[in-house]
Amino acid sequence: MHLLSIESLSDDHIAAILSEAQRWFDFNRSARRNDHRLDGLTILNAFFENSTRTLLSFEIAANRLGAQVVTMQVEMSSIKKGETLEDTARTLNAMRPDAVVIRHGRAGAPADVAALVDCAVINAGDGTGEHPTQALLDAATLQRHFGRIKGLTVAICGDIRHSRVARSNARLLERLGADVRLAGPPSLMPDGATAMTVDEAVSGADAVMMLRVQRERLEDELGDAPGEFLDRYGLTRERFALAGPGAMVMHPGPINRGVEIDGALADDSERSLILTQVEMGVAVRMACLDLLTAGRRGETGSA
Ligand code: ASP
């Protein structure tokens, strides 16, 4: 079994990951947080794009479950000598990892690797494709805070066009019964998307998930003056006041302070779930690694 997209997960897998994640979240706050279910297994991280949260949380998750973790230093690897992704995948596979966690700038790259290796592959973000473990941790964060996902209104705002986070979240949260609203500058909306203003999307929402402007994926500079994006499309205190009572702010990180979100609002522990999302990231990735390696450990499931 691989975890390549939200589509690749059954309803049962999603339910199991979300409920196990809550258990791992509590476990991670306990004094002794070493589990040994992945003893003897090797988890290989191959990140071809930068990462802080995703990479470290996969490393910590695998360590807490007792696995041996190896993180490929892409900058120091033979990729820099021109080795193809396919040859790299065959090479990694020959070292017999039990799971490969991959982030790549090209949508579909993790699926290509999955076709060439004998172990589970987890997509840790593929270009503008998907970021399924981010969506799972966002859903688990909403579940923990609101006690439910069904019936929540979630506004996802900003650079929707380039956001794998938005794509995976829209698919997962709608599947779980949330009302998902997408909004952003017209030039950063996917082709054919119905335009909703950010004000309309935020109005009455239970959660407002802001997205980073993905400058590395923009062909032309936005050309906006400092502060203009925030005023027109970002989450200011004034705009957030339109949200429903008890509404919470989310962001997958990294944050562009003063661009898509007011920095003080991001830091407001009463209103912001951003650091809970990070904490939940470790828990969700523990649940995913556990599920995906179950077959290797002779348990039910297949890997
Ligand atoms: N960290 C998230 C991702 O890798 C969001 C972002 O980079 O803006 O997709």
Side-chain angles (χ1 to χ4, degrees), residues 53-54 103 124 131 134 164-165 212 214 216-217 252-254:
R53 281 149 285 268
T54 308
R103 166 169 289 190
H131 194 351
Q134 176 74 43
R164 53 196 178 205
V165 174
R212 182 176 66 88
Q214 312 249 318
E216 73 274 30
R217 303 192 209 285

Side-chain angles (χ1 to χ4, degrees), residues 21-94:
Q22 303 300 340
R23 215 172 54 72
W24 290 121
F25 188 99
D26 294 330
F27 174 88
N28 285 335
R29 286 191 170 191
S30 66
R32 292 188 59 82
R33 52 204 175 177
N34 289 325
D35 189 276
H36 294 282
R37 66 189 61 202
L38 264 60
D39 267 358
L41 300 194
T42 302
I43 309 299
L44 210 160
N45 295 313
F47 279 54
F48 297 82
E49 275 193 339
N50 293 350
S51 176
T52 298
R53 281 149 285 268
T54 308
L55 175 58
L56 290 181
S57 63
F58 267 112
E59 287 186 349
I60 292 171
N63 273 308
R64 292 222 171 123
L65 295 171
Q68 291 165 352
V69 188
V70 183
T71 295
M72 182 176 160
Q73 303 300 316
V74 171
E75 286 301 313
M76 302 285 285
S77 74
S78 291
I79 290 280
K80 295 287 162 198
K81 299 180 185 170
E83 189 164 42
T84 65
L85 180 65
E86 287 69 23
D87 284 337
T88 303
R90 290 185 193 100
T91 301
L92 300 183
N93 191 50

Side-chain angles (χ1 to χ4, degrees), residues 180-194:
V180 177
R181 300 172 178 169
L182 301 177
S187 65
L188 297 182
M189 291 299 286
D191 294 336
T194 44

